[in-house]
Amino acid sequence: MILSLLLIFSSISKSDEKFSTWLENYKKYAINQGVSKKTVNEAFKNTKLLKRIITYDRNQPEFIEKTDVYVAKRVNKQKVIYAKKLINNNKKLLDKVEKKYKIPKNYLVALWGVETVFGKHKGKVDIISALATLSFDKRRSKYFSNELIILLKLIDRQVVNISDLKGSWAGAHGNFQFMPSSIKNYAIDYNRDGKIDLYTSLEDSFASAANYLKKIGWDKNPWGLKVKLTKEINKKHFTFDARKLSDSKKIKDWIKMGVILPDNYKINLNTKAKLVKPDGEISDVYMVFNNYEKILNWNRSLRFAITIGIFSDYLKDA
């Protein structure tokens, strides 16, 4: 027992030592990338290796839960009722944002609900430590290292304050869980108070989320729907992985191949669509359109995008 404990502590000590060495090298790298020495010293003065975050990264629910389980945990009757109430309470703001950015309010509120349960769970993790930990970890080091540099430059430019940087284990921040690159590219000071506040300001949060979707190419079509098949379709035509999307075809061509749409479903049959099976070959089939792919830009998970779509459909008439 004593020997086992000594081995565990030795392993922990070694990983902490390696992280400390990595951090010192990363500070030099950040300065070489144009970040001021003052920002580097201030940002990293309390940075720690958060080992639990590496465990979270290996066990994300988007990739291990079946779709019906994943959706049921995030969309239920009570949550839909509450979301409709929030839409009514924030109608003036949501209408203004929808008019300006052409993003329907039901999608924005669905994203808000799934990402942070309408702002109730925005995360309490130190974002700098989270990004440093995931940069140090080898699985997606390049991606998180780049996000960390972007964040340091945002701090340098006083776009964000270090004291505000609490969020998710993956380094995402605010009501809509923006990564640093999303803050840089899409965040807006919508209420013109001189700062971008994605944590407490619903004005900045909704407008930034809408600006994000608009900038990446949102259109007027729906996200998609669950469909039935009258005959077997070759598996090469389906998307099973959000990183390997299948080819698009016109809806009318999918119908010829055996896809059935509901009788009351109205959409131009020349619209391009993909077929998605989120749970592998034995799975429900979803026909998805351009906006579904834009939700994948937000979070590259087939189940996440389906959940946002389903939730938004419940909120259409709110």
Side-chain angles (χ1 to χ4, degrees):
M1 175 65 81
I2 294 174
L3 180 59
S4 296
L5 287 172
L6 286 173
L7 289 172
I8 290 170
F9 288 131
S10 175
S11 176
I12 291 172
S13 176
K14 285 181 180 178
S15 62
D16 285 334
E17 286 178 11
K18 288 180 180 179
F19 178 73
S20 295
T21 301
W22 175 88
L23 188 58
E24 290 305 312
N25 289 331
Y26 192 88
K27 289 178 183 178
K28 296 174 185 176
Y29 168 71
I31 292 169
N32 287 335
Q33 291 296 308
V35 182
S36 72
K37 190 173 181 180
K38 178 184 177 182
T39 291
V40 168
N41 289 335
E42 187 178 357
F44 289 119
K45 66 182 178 182
N46 295 314
T47 301
K48 299 175 183 176
L49 176 65
L50 304 177
K51 298 180 181 69
R52 69 184 186 279
I53 283 178
I54 297 172
T55 302
Y56 296 154
D57 186 53
R58 303 292 193 274
N59 296 279
Q60 295 178 55
E62 288 86 354
F63 305 109
I64 61 176
E65 292 178 350
K66 291 294 185 182
T67 301
D68 57 348
V69 174
Y70 185 88
V71 174
K73 285 184 177 180
R74 290 156 183 82
V75 185
N76 55 51
K77 185 177 179 180
Q78 290 75 23
K79 204 168 179 182
V80 169
I81 291 170
Y82 187 62
K84 288 181 176 180
K85 182 179 178 181
L86 288 173
I87 289 173
N88 185 58
N89 291 346
N90 296 281
K91 189 174 187 306
K92 186 176 179 181
L93 170 61
L94 287 166
D95 284 347
K96 284 172 64 177
V97 169
E98 182 173 331
K99 184 177 180 180
K100 180 171 183 177
Y101 297 100
K102 304 297 186 291
I103 307 297
K105 63 178 75 71
N106 55 309
Y107 284 97
L108 294 177
V109 173
L111 279 163
W112 188 28
V114 173
E115 284 286 16
T116 63
V117 192
F118 312 109
K120 293 179 183 178
H121 301 298
K122 288 176 279 196
K124 298 179 181 179
V125 177
D126 170 35
I127 288 177
I128 294 173
S129 289
L131 291 173
T133 297
L134 291 166
S135 299
F136 169 70
D137 183 46
K138 293 181 180 180
R139 192 174 87 85
R140 291 192 289 167
S141 177
K142 184 177 180 180
Y143 169 74
F144 286 108
S145 178
N146 185 57
E147 290 291 329
L148 184 52
I149 282 291
I150 291 171
L151 181 60
L152 293 171
K153 289 182 177 180
L154 290 172
I155 294 168
D156 231 7
R157 290 166 41 209
Q158 299 183 335
V159 175
V160 297
N161 296 318
I162 292 176
S163 59
D164 295 334
L165 293 178
K166 300 294 181 183
S168 77
W169 64 264
H173 171 72
N175 279 290
F176 286 89
Q177 296 293 276
F178 272 30
M179 293 296 289
S181 56
S182 297
I183 297 173
K184 174 188 174 185
N185 295 328
Y186 309 115
I188 290 173
D189 176 18
Y190 185 73
N191 59 13
R192 299 183 181 179
D193 67 351
K195 61 179 181 178
I196 296 172
D197 177 7
L198 302 181
Y199 201 83
T200 59
S201 169
L202 289 185
E203 293 96 332
D204 290 1
S205 296
F206 281 130
S208 296
N211 184 54
Y212 184 127
L213 294 174
K214 179 184 177 182
K215 288 280 184 68
I216 64 174
W218 194 268
D219 65 27
K220 294 180 180 180
N221 285 318
W223 69 275
L225 72 162
K226 189 185 290 188
V227 296
K228 299 291 185 181
L229 306 179
T230 60
K231 54 187 176 183
E232 187 175 338
I233 295 177
N234 192 301
K235 69 178 184 180
K236 71 180 182 180
H237 295 299
F238 292 100
T239 290
F240 300 101
D241 186 332
R243 294 159 295 184
K244 299 175 184 177
L245 301 181
S246 60
D247 293 334
S248 297
K249 295 183 185 296
K250 292 179 179 179
I251 295 174
K252 63 183 182 182
D253 294 328
W254 286 123
I255 292 172
K256 290 177 184 177
M257 293 174 68
V259 174
I260 304 173
L261 298 185
D263 292 337
N264 60 347
Y265 198 80
K266 295 180 180 179
I267 191 168
N268 187 325
L269 296 183
N270 286 314
T271 303
K272 289 289 190 74
K274 298 182 189 297
L275 294 185
V276 170
K277 281 190 172 187
D279 297 327
E281 291 187 40
I282 303 174
S283 170
D284 289 330
V285 180
Y286 294 84
M287 174 176 280
V288 300
F289 313 119
N290 171 71
N291 290 339
Y292 177 85
E293 295 185 47
K294 302 312 167 189
I295 299 170
L296 289 179
N297 280 45
W298 191 291
N299 184 327
R300 195 150 288 278
S301 158
L302 299 179
R303 297 180 181 107
F304 176 87
I306 287 169
T307 303
I308 298 300
I310 290 172
F311 200 173
S312 69
D313 285 345
Y314 281 120
L315 304 179
K316 272 182 185 177
D317 302 322

